[in-house]
Amino acid sequence: MPPLSKPTPKKPRKPRTTKATACARTSPPSISPQPTLVDSTYQIPQQTVRSPPTAHPISAMRMRTEDIPNAGRAARQGSTPGMDALADLASMQHHQQTTRANAASLRSTDIYDHEGSPNTAVLQSLHMGHGHSPGRATLGHTMADTPLQPATSRSFTTNNSLSDAESHNAANLVDHLTHNQFDHEAHVKLISLLHRAYQSQVRGNSSQADSRSYGLLRDLRAAREAMDAQFSVGEDLWIDRIEDEELLATTLPLDECVAVMNLYERAVQEEPVSTKLWLRFAKWMTSLYVVATQDALAREAVDSLHEIQSWSDEDKLVAGEVYSWRVILNVWARGAQATKWRIDESHLLWDPYTALLLQDLERSPSTEGVAEMKTHFLDRLQTAHATWDHTFQMFSTFISRYENHSYEETMATVNQQCAASKAAYGVREIFELGVKRAHQSGDNATQLNTFSEYLGWESSQSRRKHAFVFEFLDTLYQRALLCFPANTELWEDYFMFLTKEIVSYSRQDVDLLSVLDRSTRHCPGSGFLWSQYLLTAERQGIAFPEIGQIKHKATSTGLLEAGGLEEVLQVYVAWCSILRRRAFQDESTDEEVDVAEVGIRSAIEDMQRLGESKYGKEYQGDPNYRLERIYIKYLTQGRNFDTAKKSWKGLIPKQGDKHEFWLRYYLWEMSVWGKISYSETAANTSSSPRPSEATKVLRMALKRPNLDWPERLIQVLQYHCEDHEDATELQSASLQIWETKKLVQKRREKEAIEAYQAAQAAQVQTMQHLQSLNPETSTDSAVSFTTNKRKRETETSETQEETASKKTRGNEVTVTEGVPSSVQSNLKRDRENATIFVKNLPRATTDNRIRQYFRDCGSMNSLRLAVDESSETATATIEFQSRDDADTALTKDKKNFDGRDIEVQLGSGSTVFTTNFPPEADEHWIREKFGQSGEIIDVRFPSLKYNTHRRFCYVQFSTADEAQKGTQLDGLVVGAKLKLVAKMSDPSQRHDRVGALEEGREIHVVNLHWDITERELVSAFSRYGKIEKTRIPTNVSGKSKGFAFVVFKSAKEANAALEMNQTKLMGRTLTVEIATKAPTKRQATTILRSSNSPSPGVQTTNGDPSAAESLGASVNHGVKPTSAEIKARTVVLLNVPDTVNDARIRTLAEQYGPLVKIVLRPDHQGAVLEYKDVTDAGKAALGLDGDKSLSGRKIRVGDLQELLEQQPELKDDKLGPQFSKSTKSSDVLHSVMPIRRPVQLGAKRRGRGGLGSASVSRAPAKSTDRDDQDTDMSGGTETKDAAPKSNSDFKTIFLGKKKDE
């Protein structure tokens, strides 16, 4: 990632010194007084400025005394600048502990009113117990009266400001905040309650003087300060606060109006795209200008100005200088520029601002002024906004007045140049309407989903076609954040979007520090945002003391701890990484090295204290020991190997049962050995030391009885000793390996038996639960449960039977006694951990060559080879029978394979399970969505031949990190408001289905009247409870099938509805029962639209009426068409992959014409299409025959008889011969081409012939347009009895139809 700005120059390394220097340098400067507004403060920004000019957050932090306490620094002795930083670190750690102690002390009930009515002192203590939010101290007190003072206990109902209920509610909120000080929602409720009471009292009286007589004015202010000290306020609360301040300032002297203006400055700095805040700000400033100057034209140009009590002549004179015309225009310009890309509401500021500019031009017209105004209009017209037509009309009026001589030419040119911006709003208008409706609904979930869809669409616009506009998406994110200011996920998405713009597209006009400053104020409990704040500050070369202030601001409030230790840990990891990198820069000083050591060790100790305070002494630390790894890296870089080794050993009690820990420890020892070996070898080339310490680490690891994956370390130790140790050590290690394998084998056997026993116990428990629910039918339920379970086991283990029968290798752990074969198969099959990726293979390599190369590693289950066209290499995915086999194959890494050094990687953790994508999504769609996360090796869709409702797939990435990135798509809204599911594939985490059917909330109603409607059905059953959904299935003609499904809100209501069983409705006796899960469907019938004629029946030659019925024969009470008409508009597809669903077939087939019905038959590798028009069926038959768009397989068009005769697709991913159950042994070996023997000259071509052989005559083959002849082994042909319908038939129909037309 390129740096965003040049870093500050580094200090040269210099020796440590004890010379005394002043330590006051590290103390923060004192708070500056409130700024005095003068005319020169405001300048009208240029059009290129995108956001209002604000102080840089890092610079502003220098003015924040709350971040770095000053206690204890006066006693420090003089030191070097680096040692000052050391003292700062120690002071920060002390301050954090003190802050937490103070926060804990606030929970004492002694400081609160025991009578149950909160008072000013309570709210003060809430505010004073925490450090003020940085940057807010200078603007914290804007009310007119004196600063807060502790008050005596008094009730909220002192002067009837609150009702009894409101007073009780306020008391409960204050009590809640006493114990839950970080509850953002409680702060908002308390402030809103006091604000409403204040507004009700003030606006209910005619005298403006009553605005200061509100009895709880100080309580309201204290509540706001308490929240302001911890959280960013947000747009709505800012407006409420400013509204209260304005009511006070309208009756006060000039200096109070300045305080309100400063409050506005803070508000628009935190919410820069808020049109509400900018509009109020600009109108407030204009009101002050009008009062000071009595400018009638300005009053006419802006509506709804504030009514301010008349000032004295002296105040007016001062106000005329402070609130000059230039200052007023500056505020309007800043607001218009900041909200320029808000296409929904930018006109609210731009229109009155333009009116003021036109008024200014009218006062003093000039050629330069007209040119500037014209540019102002053109810039606006070239920006998409909701009122583009109105702006164009304003421009027309302007041109007709000032450039009437070129009116037509100018308007035509501008209309052409600005058409794109008008069109840009047009394509977004539907989304804007959705956002508006969602906001009006008041449903936060709906509003968030609407913004998510809008953001997803905006981010998907093509950059190549210039449809993507950064400002649109940037402002849209900020609009969403206005509505959801505390949504951490939304802030993180916004930050990553900006980071991508900088990294991938080299955008330079993005101020990431400003965004991170705002995001951490809105979401102070997000460790991710704080860590990125630190990292970005480091990248931009911010001075180290200021980076330290950011870290201190993150960890000193306690908000991170409220979010969990992981949030705190993320900040400490980023901070310690900065310290380590800073310590080992080229020109770093000794003091910087000391600062790093103290800082990292302090962070480790602080995290340990936090963990123990939350979880007790049993707290085991960070499972990934991230801070400790940083410290070890720091020690290693400083060549302090002994201390680093002690750190590794100190982690053994907590991390010693993880193989990953030992591998890291081993690799560290090897790296140290490499450095030492290199230096010693350079001095003495006769010999080099052996890595005995690394060997000790591995042997120590294998002595751990609870090691999670000892097999991995056994393999590493074996290879390590073979490569580096002498014969004695190798033999000793071999003995330990042999003993460890025996122990591991017993352990695995025990674990497998325990797992099987647990499964059996769970099954018995389920049976007992079923019997307790319904004792009368317990026997039937048990039989049904067992039958269904066996059926599922048969289906799921179909491709695993061969694995169970294979021999195991000598070192493989097997469990066979007392365990069913299905359990054995599941234990052996471990696709996720037994798969490897082999990269950089030669392009011309073959499957046989790869199998031959890896045959000594173990048994292979499957092998897939993919060629990379861009790099002229190939990648193979190999699944072995066991994890040990895959580990053995890893030894081939970096070995030579036909002239190339191949890369072998373990595929563990590299598979993503995804579902809930659009039904029509295919492999190309999946690769396009997930391809941005990394290289996709394979996409596996499930077979539908046992269940046509399945819609999920597995995405295999090349690395685990890429797979983890792929899971970031989880929750992405795709298609018709579907939330994509993308999880790491982990069969052990599989969950049962949930829904109305599984929860028993759905009933099945049979024998309904044919004409009943859903409204009548709801009316009949609504008295039993709330109905969520009803469904009446219909046939192809749109008529009811006579049954329905009704979903209730609860299972209790559904059971109550069983009272309707055997009752009459519309003259028919109903059968009502709880809906149960239907058996898996091996076919799917999709009715797309009603037809005037019935669906085609299936006339089979084998006399199987059930097969005909399953393929779509239906009853129609209307006029039946002839069999020829039915046949003419039916198309049968053959050779359709059993992973293709009906939605994909529909997408492919509807391009030829409207469909009536699709019958999917994955159990016969085909589908039946019924078109509405015979001409469309002819087009489809011609176009679909030979089509390869469905998974690359060529589709054939045939008839129903061929479909029923076609066998199910055989899928056996084991390597070796694959035969179907009906394959005869004599048919296994057959020639691809017919065998033809040479014929003697002049002889007739016959059968094999020869001595003693009789001549066999052959009937001549009939020539047809279809390829319906089967060639036998001797070269003769077998002719089929009939060809019911061929492509030529459809062609004749189609051409005849066109001729008639």
Side-chain angles (χ1 to χ4, degrees):
M1 183 182 295
L4 301 181
S5 61
K6 294 183 179 180
T8 56
K10 301 176 182 177
K11 298 178 290 185
R13 182 179 294 274
K14 55 186 178 182
R16 192 174 305 174
T17 178
T18 58
K19 182 179 179 181
T21 57
C23 66
R25 180 190 60 80
T26 59
S27 300
S30 59
I31 302 176
S32 61
Q34 293 184 353
T36 302
L37 294 177
V38 293
D39 197 337
S40 59
T41 303
Y42 295 92
Q43 295 181 0
I44 299 177
Q46 302 297 323
Q47 293 294 337
T48 57
V49 180
R50 289 193 59 251
S51 60
T54 56
H56 197 283
I58 296 296
S59 301
M61 287 172 60
R62 298 190 181 121
M63 311 302 294
R64 302 171 184 175
T65 58
E66 294 81 4
D67 287 341
I68 303 180
N70 201 23
R73 295 191 178 184
R76 288 174 47 191
Q77 298 297 322
S79 63
T80 63
M83 299 308 295
D84 285 341
L86 277 173
D88 287 344
L89 285 170
S91 177
M92 288 179 184
Q93 296 294 332
H94 172 73
H95 176 67
Q96 291 170 13
Q97 299 171 23
T98 304
T99 302
R100 296 188 188 97
N102 292 339
S105 67
L106 289 175
R107 296 183 175 90
S108 174
T109 58
D110 296 338
I111 62 173
Y112 299 110
D113 185 3
H114 293 283
E115 296 180 0
S117 298
N119 51 52
T120 306
V122 175
L123 294 171
Q124 273 190 310
S125 63
L126 286 175
H127 173 58
M128 300 298 291
H130 311 283
H132 289 264
S133 178
R136 304 181 185 193
T138 58
L139 299 174
H141 303 284
T142 55
M143 293 292 187
D145 38 357
T146 59
L148 281 173
Q149 297 293 336
T152 57
S153 299
R154 60 184 180 84
S155 172
F156 270 117
T157 58
T158 300
N159 54 2
N160 297 325
S161 300
L162 296 175
S163 65
D164 292 340
E166 290 173 335
S167 178
H168 181 70
N169 190 15
N172 290 337
L173 287 171
V174 172
D175 182 65
H176 174 77
L177 287 171
T178 304
H179 302 88
N180 302 274
Q181 54 204 5
F182 303 131
D183 190 340
H184 180 273
E185 189 66 24
H187 280 287
V188 173
K189 288 181 179 179
L190 178 60
I191 293 172
S192 300
L193 176 63
L194 299 178
H195 165 73
R196 288 194 300 270
Y198 173 66
Q199 289 288 322
S200 176
Q201 175 179 322
V202 173
R203 299 191 184 281
N205 294 279
S206 58
S207 175
Q208 291 185 344
D210 291 334
S211 61
R212 293 185 48 77
S213 63
Y214 178 47
L216 298 176
L217 187 59
R218 289 187 298 171
D219 296 314
L220 174 59
R221 181 178 63 184
R224 281 173 170 155
E225 291 299 324
M227 180 179 180
D228 196 29
Q230 301 180 79
F231 303 100
S232 187
V233 179
E235 182 186 47
D236 293 336
L237 291 182
W238 268 121
I239 292 175
D240 291 345
R241 181 174 184 178
I242 291 174
E243 186 178 9
D244 295 344
E245 297 286 351
E246 288 177 346
L247 287 175
L248 292 171
T250 54
T251 63
L252 294 174
L254 177 63
D255 55 343
E256 299 301 330
C257 296
V258 174
V260 174
M261 189 184 66
N262 290 336
L263 202 62
Y264 269 121
E265 288 288 354
R266 280 190 55 201
V268 297
Q269 181 179 351
E270 289 195 357
E271 310 297 345
V273 299
S274 171
T275 53
K276 296 179 182 178
L277 287 171
W278 276 112
L279 189 60
R280 291 183 66 99
F281 186 14
K283 286 186 175 182
W284 170 260
M285 296 292 291
T286 307
S287 300
L288 299 179
Y289 169 77
V290 170
V291 172
T293 63
Q294 300 299 317
D295 190 338
L297 293 178
R299 180 183 293 276
E300 294 176 359
V302 182
D303 298 330
S304 304
L305 293 179
H306 295 271
E307 294 297 333
I308 300 177
Q309 182 175 327
S310 300
W311 290 328
S312 63
D313 294 338
E314 183 180 355
D315 285 341
K316 291 182 180 179
L317 182 61
V318 176
E321 297 178 359
V322 175
Y323 306 108
S324 64
W325 179 252
R326 185 179 180 186
V327 170
I328 304 309
L329 287 182
N330 171 264
V331 175
W332 282 103
R334 290 168 56 202
Q337 190 65 33
T339 61
K340 173 180 178 180
W341 294 96
R342 281 206 57 169
I343 62 177
D344 59 329
E345 294 183 350
S346 58
H347 61 279
L348 298 180
L349 279 146
W350 191 90
D351 288 352
Y353 172 48
T354 303
L356 291 174
L357 292 179
L358 290 173
Q359 182 188 103
D360 198 27
L361 180 63
E362 184 177 357
R363 288 177 175 175
S364 54
S366 64
T367 305
E368 294 79 6
V370 171
E372 291 177 0
M373 200 65 204
K374 184 176 180 181
T375 303
H376 175 75
F377 270 109
L378 290 177
D379 178 72
R380 178 63 173 171
L381 290 171
Q382 290 175 352
T383 304
H385 58 283
T387 58
W388 192 94
D389 292 331
H390 174 68
T391 305
F392 190 75
Q393 183 61 40
M394 291 176 62
F395 179 65
S396 173
T397 304
F398 169 78
I399 293 297
S400 64
R401 178 171 182 177
Y402 292 100
E403 293 185 359
N404 192 39
H405 59 281
S406 58
Y407 175 83
E408 295 182 357
E409 179 183 356
T410 301
M411 296 304 294
T413 302
V414 171
N415 191 28
Q416 182 178 2
Q417 292 177 349
C418 303
S421 61
K422 183 178 181 180
Y425 177 79
V427 298
R428 292 165 175 81
E429 189 171 10
I430 184 65
F431 291 101
E432 292 294 337
L433 182 60
V435 169
K436 183 177 180 180
R437 290 175 177 173
H439 178 72
Q440 292 173 349
S441 68
D443 186 355
N444 288 336
T446 302
Q447 195 171 359
L448 184 58
N449 289 336
T450 304
F451 269 118
S452 298
E453 292 179 9
Y454 197 174
L455 288 167
W457 177 86
E458 195 71 70
S459 60
S460 66
Q461 297 305 294
S462 172
R463 295 177 184 267
R464 184 176 301 176
K465 298 179 180 179
H466 304 289
F468 176 84
V469 179
F470 166 79
E471 290 78 7
F472 282 155
L473 187 53
D474 177 63
T475 306
L476 185 58
Y477 265 115
Q478 296 192 59
R479 287 173 57 189
L481 290 168
L482 276 177
C483 299
F484 303 96
N487 190 310
T488 303
E489 183 179 356
L490 196 57
W491 275 108
E492 292 175 357
D493 289 345
Y494 180 41
F495 167 75
M496 296 310 297
F497 155 67
L498 295 178
T499 304
K500 182 178 180 180
E501 290 293 318
I502 296 173
V503 175
S504 302
Y505 303 105
S506 303
R507 182 172 289 277
Q508 300 296 325
D509 59 343
V510 177
D511 187 0
L512 271 183
L513 283 177
S514 177
V515 172
L516 287 166
D517 184 63
R518 290 171 50 215
S519 66
T520 50
R521 290 204 306 271
H522 284 87
C523 305
S526 171
F528 173 80
L529 292 174
W530 281 112
S531 63
Q532 292 299 319
Y533 198 177
L534 291 169
L535 179 62
T536 304
E538 182 191 20
R539 289 186 63 253
Q540 295 195 11
I542 301 300
F544 177 71
E546 295 179 352
I547 297 177
Q549 292 180 26
I550 297 175
K551 177 263 175 186
H552 178 59
K553 184 172 66 169
T555 56
S556 62
T557 62
L559 286 167
L560 279 175
E561 299 171 31
L565 291 184
E566 177 62 25
E567 305 299 331
V568 185
L569 188 58
Q570 289 187 59
V571 177
Y572 275 127
V573 168
W575 169 245
C576 292
S577 298
I578 293 173
L579 293 177
R580 183 190 62 80
R581 288 191 292 269
R582 179 172 175 267
F584 294 101
Q585 292 175 349
D586 294 337
E587 299 178 357
S588 61
T589 63
D590 293 338
E591 288 81 2
E592 289 170 341
V593 176
D594 295 337
V595 168
E597 182 172 8
V598 173
I600 297 174
R601 292 178 61 180
S602 298
I604 295 174
E605 295 170 1
D606 199 32
M607 282 303 304
Q608 186 65 28
R609 283 195 300 269
L610 289 176
E612 291 179 356
S613 65
K614 188 169 185 178
Y615 300 107
K617 294 297 183 180
E618 63 274 11
Y619 175 66
Q620 295 297 310
D622 176 21
N624 298 315
Y625 49 99
R626 282 165 282 185
L627 293 178
E628 290 81 358
R629 281 158 46 192
I630 294 174
Y631 184 48
I632 292 173
K633 178 68 174 177
Y634 161 81
L635 294 172
T636 305
Q637 285 184 279
R639 303 188 70 83
N640 192 350
F641 301 136
D642 293 338
T643 307
K645 184 176 296 186
K646 290 180 181 179
S647 298
W648 279 114
K649 291 182 179 179
L651 290 171
I652 292 177
K654 297 180 179 179
Q655 308 292 336
D657 291 337
K658 301 176 183 178
H659 77 281
E660 176 268 341
F661 164 76
W662 291 105
L663 285 177
R664 287 184 182 273
Y665 189 4
Y666 162 73
L667 292 175
W668 179 84
E669 287 287 3
M670 289 298 294
S671 67
V672 172
W673 169 77
K675 295 176 182 179
I676 297 176
S677 175
Y678 178 79
S679 59
E680 293 185 2
T681 303
N684 182 12
T685 57
S686 60
S687 62
S688 60
R690 292 181 290 106
S692 57
E693 294 297 324
T695 308
K696 291 179 182 178
V697 169
L698 293 174
R699 300 192 68 168
M700 190 190 313
L702 291 179
K703 294 179 182 179
R704 305 283 298 189
N706 297 321
L707 191 63
D708 57 353
W709 191 12
E711 296 89 345
R712 174 62 172 154
L713 296 183
I714 288 174
Q715 183 185 57
V716 175
L717 177 60
Q718 180 74 41
Y719 296 154
H720 169 80
C721 292
E722 290 175 353
D723 293 340
H724 299 288
E725 294 292 355
D726 56 14
T728 303
E729 186 66 30
L730 176 59
Q731 191 169 29
S732 176
S734 299
L735 176 60
Q736 183 180 7
I737 290 173
W738 181 82
E739 293 174 345
T740 305
K741 283 184 177 180
K742 291 293 184 181
L743 294 175
V744 171
Q745 181 177 356
K746 293 180 181 179
R747 173 181 163 187
R748 297 304 186 205
E749 290 176 356
K750 180 180 178 181
E751 291 174 352
I753 293 175
E754 289 176 352
Y756 171 69
Q757 292 174 348
Q760 292 292 325
Q763 181 176 346
V764 172
Q765 185 177 2
T766 304
M767 296 289 297
Q768 294 174 350
H769 179 65
L770 291 175
Q771 293 177 4
S772 64
L773 291 177
N774 194 352
E776 296 180 0
T777 60
S778 60
T779 304
D780 296 337
S781 300
V783 173
S784 175
F785 176 82
T786 306
T787 304
N788 291 336
K789 181 176 184 298
R790 290 177 178 174
K791 180 179 179 181
R792 289 194 300 272
E793 288 178 354
T794 302
E795 293 175 353
T796 56
S797 63
E798 209 174 84
T799 61
Q800 300 174 357
E801 293 174 354
E802 212 167 304
T803 304
S805 64
K806 287 185 177 290
K807 291 183 178 180
T808 58
R809 302 175 66 229
N811 296 332
E812 194 167 323
V813 179
T814 60
V815 182
T816 56
E817 287 190 41
V819 183
S821 60
S822 61
V823 177
Q824 294 180 37
S825 178
N826 289 332
L827 289 175
K828 292 180 181 178
R829 190 67 180 269
D830 190 5
R831 187 195 302 270
E832 303 299 329
N833 297 313
T835 301
I836 65 168
F837 301 137
V838 186
K839 299 182 179 180
N840 202 33
L841 289 166
R843 177 187 175 91
T845 192
T846 62
D847 293 358
N848 291 333
R849 177 71 183 95
I850 297 175
R851 286 199 296 268
Q852 181 183 13
Y853 187 79
F854 286 93
R855 64 185 177 186
D856 58 336
C857 299
S859 302
M860 299 184 192
N861 283 346
S862 64
L863 188 152
R864 293 183 297 277
L865 186 63
V867 178
D868 188 353
E869 301 293 344
S870 60
S871 60
E872 298 295 325
T873 61
T875 300
T877 305
I878 306 175
E879 181 196 346
F880 286 93
Q881 188 171 344
S882 69
R883 183 168 185 165
D884 289 342
D885 296 341
D887 292 337
T888 304
L890 293 178
T891 62
K892 304 283 188 179
D893 186 35
K894 305 302 181 183
K895 299 295 178 63
N896 187 275
F897 181 98
D898 295 348
R900 284 183 176 271
D901 292 338
I902 60 175
E903 299 178 14
V904 183
Q905 301 174 1
L906 188 65
S908 177
S910 60
T911 304
V912 172
F913 169 80
T914 179
T915 184
N916 209 34
F917 43 76
E920 63 274 8
D922 55 5
E923 181 175 347
H924 175 74
W925 190 93
I926 295 293
R927 287 183 178 272
E928 187 178 42
K929 283 291 180 186
F930 286 88
Q932 299 177 359
S933 302
E935 179 185 358
I936 296 178
I937 301 297
D938 187 32
V939 177
R940 301 193 305 272
F941 283 88
S943 172
L944 306 180
K945 64 184 176 183
Y946 296 113
N947 188 351
T948 56
H949 292 161
R950 306 172 87 184
R951 191 168 88 244
F952 62 87
C953 72
Y954 297 92
V955 184
Q956 187 91 39
F957 288 89
S958 61
T959 64
D961 291 339
E962 293 175 348
Q964 196 65 41
K965 291 180 182 178
T967 59
Q968 295 178 1
L969 296 179
D970 186 58
L972 177 68
V973 179
V974 296
K977 297 184 179 180
L978 297 175
K979 282 192 174 182
L980 186 69
V981 175
K983 306 287 187 183
M984 293 299 297
S985 177
D986 186 0
S988 65
Q989 299 298 321
R990 181 179 299 167
H991 300 287
D992 295 334
R993 286 181 175 269
V994 295
L997 183 63
E998 288 75 16
E999 297 169 4
R1001 298 187 289 108
E1002 183 175 343
I1003 63 172
H1004 185 208
V1005 186
V1006 185
N1007 201 33
L1008 288 169
H1009 194 278
W1010 303 108
D1011 297 329
I1012 194 171
T1013 64
E1014 289 191 1
R1015 178 177 296 180
E1016 293 170 338
L1017 187 64
V1018 170
S1019 177
F1021 284 89
S1022 60
R1023 65 177 180 270
Y1024 298 104
K1026 184 178 180 180
I1027 296 176
E1028 292 184 347
K1029 184 172 63 175
T1030 59
R1031 183 169 65 90
I1032 303 177
T1034 59
N1035 57 22
V1036 70
S1037 61
K1039 295 291 185 179
S1040 168
K1041 290 185 177 181
F1043 62 92
F1045 297 94
V1046 181
V1047 178
F1048 286 89
K1049 187 175 182 180
S1050 66
K1052 182 179 180 181
E1053 296 170 346
N1055 284 299
L1058 297 180
E1059 183 183 334
M1060 290 286 290
N1061 188 35
Q1062 300 303 314
T1063 61
K1064 286 191 176 183
L1065 178 63
M1066 298 178 66
R1068 299 176 70 93
T1069 302
L1070 303 180
T1071 299
V1072 183
E1073 57 186 0
I1074 298 295
T1076 58
K1077 187 174 182 180
T1080 56
K1081 295 186 65 178
R1082 300 199 175 203
Q1083 72 174 44
T1085 302
T1086 305
I1087 300 175
L1088 304 177
R1089 53 178 56 83
S1090 180
S1091 174
N1092 293 328
S1093 60
S1095 304
V1098 181
Q1099 304 298 332
T1100 62
T1101 57
N1102 57 5
D1104 185 3
S1106 62
E1109 182 180 356
S1110 67
L1111 286 174
S1114 59
V1115 179
N1116 192 354
H1117 301 284
V1119 179
K1120 295 184 178 181
T1122 63
S1123 58
E1125 292 175 343
I1126 298 174
K1127 182 178 179 181
R1129 56 189 178 90
T1130 302
V1131 178
V1132 180
L1133 303 182
L1134 308 176
N1135 201 32
V1136 176
D1138 63 2
T1139 59
V1140 176
N1141 58 14
D1142 52 355
R1144 292 175 60 185
I1145 293 178
R1146 177 182 179 181
T1147 303
L1148 177 66
E1150 277 193 330
Q1151 59 182 320
Y1152 299 101
L1155 289 166
V1156 175
K1157 184 170 67 172
I1158 300 175
V1159 181
L1160 180 66
R1161 292 302 300 261
D1163 55 336
H1164 288 288
Q1165 302 186 60
V1168 179
L1169 311 178
E1170 179 188 348
Y1171 282 89
K1172 197 163 187 176
D1173 186 74
V1174 64
T1175 305
D1176 297 335
K1179 294 178 184 178
L1182 292 173
L1184 294 176
D1185 192 43
D1187 189 279
K1188 293 184 179 181
S1189 58
L1190 293 179
S1191 302
R1193 186 185 297 185
K1194 183 184 289 186
I1195 300 174
R1196 291 195 302 110
V1197 175
D1199 55 27
L1200 296 172
Q1201 184 64 32
E1202 288 181 277
L1203 175 63
L1204 296 175
E1205 292 175 354
Q1206 191 166 247
Q1207 295 297 322
E1209 184 175 353
L1210 180 61
K1211 285 193 174 181
D1212 190 354
D1213 56 0
K1214 304 291 188 299
L1215 297 176
Q1218 300 180 3
F1219 314 122
S1220 64
K1221 296 180 181 179
S1222 61
T1223 304
K1224 299 178 182 178
S1225 60
S1226 59
D1227 297 333
V1228 172
L1229 298 178
H1230 62 276
S1231 299
V1232 179
M1233 297 295 293
I1235 302 175
R1236 301 184 183 275
R1237 298 182 179 275
V1239 182
Q1240 296 180 1
L1241 294 176
K1244 293 183 179 180
R1245 187 170 188 85
R1246 296 182 180 272
R1248 179 170 181 173
L1251 186 63
S1253 299
S1255 301
V1256 180
S1257 60
R1258 304 277 180 179
K1262 297 181 180 180
S1263 175
T1264 63
D1265 292 338
R1266 299 184 51 174
D1267 185 13
D1268 57 0
Q1269 298 176 347
D1270 296 332
T1271 306
D1272 65 10
M1273 296 289 289
S1274 61
T1277 58
E1278 281 185 17
T1279 306
K1280 294 185 179 179
D1281 295 338
K1285 183 171 57 179
S1286 65
N1287 289 343
S1288 59
D1289 297 332
F1290 283 116
K1291 187 174 182 179
T1292 303
I1293 295 172
F1294 178 61
L1295 295 177
K1297 183 74 175 177
K1298 290 186 63 177
K1299 187 174 181 181
D1300 294 340
E1301 294 175 354

